[in-house]
Amino acid sequence: MTVPDRPSRVLAPSRRAQLSLFARNFFKHPRMLGSIIPSSPFLVRRLLDQVGWEEARVVVEYGPGVGTITREILARLAPDATLLALETNPDFVAYLGDSLPDPRLQVVAGSAETIQAELSRLGLPPADYIVAGIPFSTMPADCRQRILSDSREALADDGAMLIYQFSPKVGGDLRRLFSQVEKGFEPLNILPAHLYTCHR
């Protein structure tokens, strides 16, 4: 079940500032971001419509970047829930800390490979949802497998991993690791995105 969108608790920074920071980091680390433009509202809405917001108490986001999806998660998230955002880029970590002073948000300077350790360190239960847009297709195979396997183990029994990618390459790995994988496609994004909803 979904609940109506709630207004964000903080004002979003200017779109120009977000795009400028995102573009600068794309040119420095193109393999880490995958796209020069943050996710479109169409992609964000389609992705987050998969979440049961009334029940979700722990949501994890891999690679929040400038917080395009992070803000929309916080706008929907229950007052007593937690959003754990794992980000390896120090520019984005600092930006998120400054622009999103929300007590429900825990921004961690770290990799998706540390998901189980971070949940344990923060005293959080398994994740109800993991939202991931990190570019699995450009990762070494062993790294991709490790992140996906650890993510599956970090989910609650009825949890789901929501993935968006600009390449369908990860699909085979997902079907091998998860018991149920639903695939979608969002053309109204730069680049058009493949979406996967993965259940343990």
Side-chain angles (χ1 to χ4, degrees), residues 134-153:
I134 55 177
F136 288 109
S137 63
T138 64
M139 293 178 187
D142 60 338
C143 179
R144 180 171 63 249
Q145 290 286 336
R146 188 164 57 250
I147 290 175
L148 291 173
S149 178
D150 287 352
S151 297
R152 182 187 180 280
E153 293 305 310

Side-chain angles (χ1 to χ4, degrees), residues 49-69:
D49 277 352
Q50 306 304 309
V51 176
W53 294 105
E54 289 186 344
E55 296 81 23
R57 288 301 174 270
V58 177
V59 178
V60 177
E61 183 182 7
Y62 293 162
V66 295
T68 303
I69 293 176

Side-chain angles (χ1 to χ4, degrees), residues 92-105:
F92 291 155
V93 171
Y95 180 81
L96 291 168
D98 291 341
S99 64
L100 285 173
D102 190 308
R104 298 169 299 168
L105 175 63

Side-chain angles (χ1 to χ4, degrees), residues 5-80:
D5 292 357
R6 291 190 285 269
S8 179
R9 298 183 178 193
V10 294
L11 292 175
S14 75
R15 182 68 170 167
R16 179 176 294 180
Q18 286 181 288
L19 290 173
S20 175
L21 179 62
F22 197 90
R24 288 198 307 273
N25 278 274
F26 174 82
F27 288 116
K28 286 196 290 186
H29 311 288
R31 292 172 66 87
M32 290 175 61
L33 296 180
S35 172
I36 195 171
I37 300 294
S39 302
S40 75
F42 305 99
L43 172 57
V44 175
R45 187 178 308 115
R46 186 161 181 174
L47 185 73
L48 298 185
D49 277 352
Q50 306 304 309
V51 176
W53 294 105
E54 289 186 344
E55 296 81 23
R57 288 301 174 270
V58 177
V59 178
V60 177
E61 183 182 7
Y62 293 162
V66 295
T68 303
I69 293 176
T70 313
R71 285 180 175 79
E72 295 304 320
I73 293 174
L74 291 171
R76 295 161 170 76
L77 199 62
D80 60 343

